[in-house]
Amino acid sequence: MIRFEHVHKRFGRQTVLDDLNLEIGRGDRIALIGSNGAGKTTLIRCLLGEYRHQGRIEVGGRSPRAQRTEVLRHIGFVPQISPPLRMPVGQLLRFAAGVCDSDPARMQSVAAKLGLDVQRHARQPFNRLSGGMKQKLLISIALGRDCEVLVLDEPAANLDPEARHRFFELLAERQERAAMLISSHRLDEVAPLVNRVIELDQGRVVLDDHVADQLDMTARLDCELGLTRADAAFARAIEEWGFVADEGGRRWHGQVAGPDRLRFLGVLSRYAALLAHIRLEAAPPAEESRS
């Protein structure tokens, strides 16, 4: 589906992509990792047809540079840094839907699943939205249409835990029929979402490995936490995950999205001295829990 053949990219005297070769197929969910300056962003921009380069890049047999409009119709892109657009939210959604020949109602539906009411903010300029709201809208534009390739640059960084879970469910719906390229500085943030890891260093592929693919991205975990004592800082951190406390603030209950377990445990590690016990177990499916 996606092919990079002997791709070189230089800025002045600096080589950013150095004879890069990759093949990405349908169903590949790739974690693109590497330190700052490794070439991740340049690779993505070449894939989107933004940069001239040496070598060949093809998406479905088309060149992103020479046939950019057609290629971008089949790519959903969520950037790490939101563009400074002043366009009102409603107008932006209609414009984005028109560019990719989609229905803005589909994008609104995705936004609603993520917790964003587009109608309520329809007249508000995009650049006046909060970071989380911008991210939800950009995800809605990318996922609210048919696309064969998803390019996601730190896609869930500004999302609250419930929105992250909904986002994972939306990705799960496409995991068999799309190729996903998820760029991140930290593998632990995206490891549960992917089945392949590609690491760049100085513009070269230094690791390309398939990983276990057994996690249900729609799964939730029931969690119970016991503390040695109540703590205000812990309470503020854990309430952001939707947890609630028993009387006294020493026992907390909540749910964690399956793909978020590593991120959640990373938060808990900051309060290791307070933790008396942790219980994590698979929650029953939604249908079963309602019966």
Side-chain angles (χ1 to χ4, degrees):
M1 178 176 287
I2 303 173
R3 178 174 295 175
F4 295 80
E5 291 184 354
H6 304 293
V7 175
H8 292 262
K9 177 62 183 174
R10 295 174 61 90
F11 293 106
R13 296 183 178 180
Q14 182 182 7
T15 298
V16 184
L17 296 179
D18 186 5
D19 194 32
L20 187 139
N21 294 278
L22 272 178
E23 288 195 18
I24 300 170
R26 193 182 306 274
D28 279 346
R29 303 192 307 278
I30 293 172
L32 182 66
I33 62 172
S35 59
N36 287 332
K40 302 189 302 297
T41 299
T42 301
L43 182 150
I44 287 173
R45 290 183 175 177
C46 288
L47 178 61
L48 297 175
E50 295 181 15
Y51 288 161
R52 297 181 184 276
H53 56 82
Q54 293 178 295
R56 177 182 295 181
I57 300 176
E58 291 183 351
V59 179
R62 302 182 180 93
S63 165
R65 188 70 186 176
Q67 300 163 281
R68 191 178 184 205
T69 299
E70 182 62 26
V71 168
L72 290 182
R73 288 180 184 273
H74 301 279
I75 297 180
F77 175 50
V78 180
Q80 179 183 8
I81 300 175
S82 301
L85 300 174
R86 298 181 180 179
M87 190 181 296
V89 167
Q91 184 181 347
L92 175 58
L93 220 60
R94 291 191 296 273
F95 172 78
V99 167
C100 60
D101 195 24
S102 185
D103 182 354
R106 290 182 61 186
M107 297 179 180
Q108 289 187 35
S109 176
V110 173
K113 292 178 181 178
L114 295 172
L116 177 63
D117 185 344
V118 171
Q119 292 298 329
R120 180 181 177 186
H121 300 281
R123 297 184 179 181
Q124 188 170 354
F126 177 80
N127 63 346
R128 297 292 183 87
L129 299 177
S130 69
M133 292 168 69
K134 290 177 183 176
Q135 195 77 348
K136 290 176 182 179
L137 191 63
L138 292 172
I139 291 172
S140 301
I141 290 171
L143 299 185
R145 59 194 182 92
D146 295 324
C147 54
E148 299 174 345
V149 178
L150 289 173
V151 181
L152 312 171
D153 196 351
E154 303 282 1
N158 293 314
L159 298 183
D160 57 86
E162 181 60 26
R164 287 173 65 92
H165 178 68
R166 298 301 179 190
F167 174 58
F168 300 148
E169 289 182 330
L170 290 165
L171 290 185
E173 293 173 3
R174 297 169 180 254
Q175 64 183 0
E176 299 298 332
R177 66 179 190 270
M180 302 182 193
L181 189 63
I182 307 173
S183 177
S184 180
H185 292 93
R186 296 181 53 183
L187 179 57
D188 61 342
E189 288 282 332
V190 297
L193 302 177
V194 303
N195 55 18
R196 185 177 171 190
V197 177
I198 294 174
E199 182 177 2
L200 297 185
D201 184 37
Q202 297 182 352
R204 288 179 171 269
V205 175
V206 295
L207 173 70
D208 184 353
D209 196 14
H210 287 81
V211 296
D213 186 20
Q214 298 177 339
L215 180 67
D216 179 2
M217 285 196 284
T218 68
R220 286 183 184 257
L221 302 172
D222 284 326
C223 181
E224 178 183 289
L225 304 171
L227 305 184
T228 57
R229 58 179 173 81
D231 182 83
F234 178 86
R236 288 193 296 271
I238 205 66
E239 283 171 352
E240 293 182 0
W241 289 78
F243 276 57
V244 295
D246 291 346
E247 186 176 351
R250 293 178 57 183
R251 190 179 298 273
W252 292 81
H253 303 267
Q255 285 195 337
V256 179
D260 254 348
R261 69 179 73 191
L262 291 178
R263 184 169 178 265
F264 178 69
L265 291 174
V267 171
L268 293 185
S269 69
R270 305 172 199 165
Y271 304 95
L274 289 173
L275 293 170
H277 75 266
I278 302 172
R279 179 182 62 80
L280 276 171
E281 61 184 26
E287 294 79 5
E288 180 179 334
S289 63
R290 288 195 297 263
S291 62

